[in-house]
């Protein structure tokens, strides 16, 4: 079963890998960012004013560290022989208020294009990107780009010039793949939520919420949200992206605590995971109320806040693996890629380095892998818990049986007999309690030994089981003393049952143990139940047992007052 699940998981991973391959296939692109010089200003300069300050543009390696509200980017493209035939400017779709593209051509032509926030959103590309068309006028000499009030340096550092036809072809294929990724994450969410309603395992609901949050992130971050809801503002989109992935990470931390076996995580690791999850939940109000006020800085904070969750998760997985957890194997397979992708996203989100835009797709792939593999892990964990619960239930039943059963004969012991007497009396039933004692049992032990004596008691118990199969209840009080609870209201009926029982005991024990030198008989004392408690009735029956012993044994005696007891009829 384990191997089969892994093979299914690996097959799905392969399908995901092939799907990812369709996303990042080769494209015609010119990385403009490599040829860019940067000028940050506090006011919105015109293209002519920006060109007049050409000498002040920063072309050094720290050029993208500007935090000015208006950023001009100048790219000298003469030596690249770039023509604007079907070209568009593509970059990260992080929020900003607008863009100005000013192109200077070899023949001296200058064309300025202005885009506001709504137009930028309308020119989205699948996968965290936008693409603005460039006017067609020949070979571009210099490209000037103004970004108004950018929120993230990624908009500046990931700019590319794209062939429009290639980009349009990719848009459709990427939309299909991202829709598949959403499906990979959504199906386990629905699956876990449905089974949580039935099985009530907390980790199933946490898994459902985690998968739903990751689905929301993929839907918003991949720009599918702009396809289905074109009026979505750029800020709304980025707030949904950052909040949903943070909420998903928070639920993931709590999921690990509930999903792994209880003994595999130390108290400190469990506390660290819970704290990390709680910290991530604060991303939602942070993105709504604080992030818009902190351009550039808010993005760094929002990415750094994932580090405690990643560190505590890695420690938890390592500790669980060291302590022999079975469930952790699914997390190691399903979460390995997403942890690596998360670290890469944190590094780029904090502007520690710049990587190709295709690196963004790795996180979606990791989320798809996580969704599928963890879903198999949830199913396996449920089966394991059900097995554990069934074993515990059987153990409980067995312990309960042992606590109520006489070890030698298998009949009820005195405690169990008292419990059933109480139930019997509480239901208002009437009847009789008979106490049986083997006559001269000490002689049997002294003559034949205790092994034969035990066999006598076991044979007598066999008779009692057969005798009580329909309504009566039998048990061993101790030693050679037994008791039978009869739900009969007539003394004559009880007498007939007891006399039949005594005869059957003598016959069966003699047949079962032929080496006995004398036949086995029993003496019986009986008393009506009425409304008395067990000890009272037992005392009366025991008195009658001694009467039977004193009158020669091998007989039954009833309480003298039995005919006057409530619910007892003499005939």
């Amino acid at each position: 079963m384990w191997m089969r699940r892994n093979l299914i998981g690996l097959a799905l991973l392969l399908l995901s890998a092939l799907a990812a391959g369709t996303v990042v296939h080769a494209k015609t692109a010119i990385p403009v960012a490599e040829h860019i010089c940067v000028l940050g200003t506090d006011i919105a300069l015109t293209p002519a004013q920006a060109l007049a300050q050409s000498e002040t543009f920063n072309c050094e390696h720290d050029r993208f560290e500007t935090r000015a509200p208006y950023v001009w980017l100048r790219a000298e493209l003469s030596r690249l022989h770039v023509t604007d035939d079907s070209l568009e400017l593509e970059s990260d779709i992080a929020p900003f208020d607008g863009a100005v593209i000013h192109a200077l051509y070899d023949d001296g032509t200058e064309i300025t294009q202005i885009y506001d926030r709504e137009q930028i959103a309308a020119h989205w590309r699948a996968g965290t990107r936008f693409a603005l068309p460039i006017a067609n006028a020949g070979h571009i000499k210099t490209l000037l780009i103004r970004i108004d009030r950018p929120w993230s340096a990624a908009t500046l550092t990931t700019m590319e010039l794209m062939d429009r036809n290639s980009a349009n072809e990719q848009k459709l294929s990427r939309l299909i793949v991202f829709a598949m990724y959403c499906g990979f994450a959504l199906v386990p969410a629905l699956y876990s939520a449905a089974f949580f309603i039935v099985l009530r395992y907390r980790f199933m609901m946490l898994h459902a919420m985690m998968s739903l949050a990751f689905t929301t992130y993929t839907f918003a971050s991949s720009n599918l949200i702009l396809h289905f809801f074109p009026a979505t503002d750029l800020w709304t989109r980025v707030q949904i992206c950052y909040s949903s992935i943070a909420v998903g990470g928070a639920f993931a931390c709590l999921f690990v605590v509930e999903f792994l076996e209880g003994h595999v995580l130390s108290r400190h690791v469990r506390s660290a995971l819970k704290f990390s999850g709680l910290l991530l939940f604060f991303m939602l109000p942070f993105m709504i109320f604080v992030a818009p006020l902190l351009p550039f800085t808010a993005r760094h904070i929002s990415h750094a806040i994932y580090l405690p969750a990643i560190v505590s998760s890695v420690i938890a997985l390592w500790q669980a693996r060291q302590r022999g957890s079975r469930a952790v194997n699914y997390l190691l397979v399903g979460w390995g890629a997403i942890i690596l992708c998360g670290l890469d996203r944190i590094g780029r989100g904090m502007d520690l380095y710049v990587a190709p835009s295709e690196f963004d797709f790795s996180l979606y792939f990791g989320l798809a892998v996580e969704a599928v593999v963890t879903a198999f892990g949830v199913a396996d964990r449920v089966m394991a818990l059900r097995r554990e619960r069934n074993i515990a239930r059987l153990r409980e039943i067995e312990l309960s049986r042992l606590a109520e059963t006489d070890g030698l004969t298998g009949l009820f012991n005195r405690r169990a007999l008292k419990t059933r007497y109480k139930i019997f009396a509480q239901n208002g039933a009437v009847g009789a309690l008979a106490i049986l004692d083997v006559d001269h049992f000490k002689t049997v032990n002294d003559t034949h030994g205790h092994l034969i004596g035990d066999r006598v008691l076991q044979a007598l118990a066999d008779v009692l089981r057969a005798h009580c199969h329909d309504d009566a209840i039998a048990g061993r009080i101790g030693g050679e003393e037994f008791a039978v609870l009869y739900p009969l209201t007539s003394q004559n009926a009880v007498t007939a049952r007891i006399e039949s029982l005594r005869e059957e005991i003598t016959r069966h024990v003699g047949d079962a143990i032929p080496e006995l030198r004398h036949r086995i008989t029993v003496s019986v004392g009986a008393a009506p139940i009425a409304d008395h408690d067990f000890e009272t009735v037992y005392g009366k029956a025991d008195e009658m047992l001694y009467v039977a012993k004193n009158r020669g044994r091998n007989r039954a005696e009833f309480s003298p007052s039995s005919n006057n007891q409530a619910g007892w009829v003499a005939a």
Side-chain angles (χ1 to χ4, degrees), residues 19-53:
T22 66
V23 176
V24 295
H25 64 271
K27 61 184 181 180
T28 304
I30 301 173
V32 179
E34 298 178 6
H35 307 278
I36 279 178
C37 296
V38 179
L39 172 65
T41 63
D42 293 329
I43 60 175
L45 301 178
T46 65
Q49 291 172 327
L51 284 172
Q53 300 187 32

Side-chain angles (χ1 to χ4, degrees), residues 35 57 59 69 118 139 160 176 187 204 246 353 371 378-379 391 398 414 422 456 462 466 510 514 524 554-555 558:
H35 307 278
F57 275 76
C59 301
E118 290 72 22
H139 292 280
E160 297 175 323
I176 294 173
V187 170
M204 299 192 77
Y353 60 91
V378 167
I391 291 173
E398 180 63 16
R414 183 186 180 109
K422 184 177 180 180
V456 169
D462 292 339
V524 183
N554 191 23
R555 58 186 295 131
F558 290 85

Side-chain angles (χ1 to χ4, degrees), residues 24 33 39 103 129 141 154 244 274 302-303 309 318 334 363 379 394 409 423-424 442 451-453 470 477 505 513 525:
V24 295
L39 172 65
R129 310 287 285 174
K141 176 182 177 182
S244 58
K274 292 178 181 178
S302 62
H303 281 83
W318 176 83
L363 183 59
L394 291 175
T409 63
I423 297 173
F424 188 82
K442 185 177 183 301
L451 290 178
I452 294 297
D470 50 356
I477 300 298
I505 288 173
I513 312 173

Side-chain angles (χ1 to χ4, degrees), residues 103-246:
L104 288 80
Y105 297 85
D106 288 344
D107 60 0
T109 303
E110 299 184 24
I111 298 179
T112 301
Q113 297 167 275
I114 300 175
Y115 296 93
D116 59 20
R117 295 171 63 174
E118 290 72 22
Q119 290 171 321
I120 293 168
H123 287 87
W124 60 272
R125 290 290 186 214
T128 74
R129 310 287 285 174
F130 71 89
L132 303 178
I134 298 176
N136 185 0
H139 292 280
I140 301 175
K141 176 182 177 182
T142 303
L143 193 63
L144 277 175
I145 307 158
R146 192 185 78 195
I147 303 297
D148 299 345
R149 302 187 185 280
W151 182 72
S152 168
T155 304
L156 314 177
T157 59
T158 62
M159 282 193 174
E160 297 175 323
L161 285 175
M162 292 284 299
D163 174 78
R164 192 175 306 161
N165 294 329
S166 297
N168 287 333
E169 292 175 3
Q170 282 188 342
K171 183 176 181 178
L172 178 59
S173 63
R174 288 179 178 180
L175 283 176
I176 294 173
V177 173
F178 285 130
M180 291 172 58
Y181 283 163
C182 288
F184 277 143
L186 184 59
V187 170
L190 299 177
Y191 155 86
S192 290
F195 278 96
F196 169 77
I197 296 174
V198 178
L199 302 176
R200 294 294 175 180
Y201 290 122
R202 189 181 304 174
F203 67 84
M204 299 192 77
M205 178 51 68
L206 292 172
H207 179 252
M209 299 302 293
M210 176 184 69
S211 299
L212 183 60
F214 288 157
T215 303
T216 303
Y217 169 76
T218 303
F219 182 73
S221 180
S222 66
N223 287 341
L224 279 172
I225 190 173
L226 298 176
H227 175 74
F228 290 96
F229 305 99
T232 303
D233 182 76
L234 292 182
W235 257 112
T236 302
R237 172 198 166 276
V238 80
Q239 287 172 332
I240 293 174
C241 290
Y242 279 74
S243 299
S244 58
I245 191 69

Side-chain angles (χ1 to χ4, degrees), residues 465-494:
R465 267 189 290 272
H467 179 76
C468 300
H469 67 87
D470 50 356
D471 53 357
I473 300 173
R476 184 186 179 196
I477 300 298
E480 68 272 21
E481 191 172 285
F482 296 80
V484 181
L485 183 63
Y486 289 105
L488 300 172
T489 59
S490 167
Q491 179 177 337
N492 290 342
V494 174

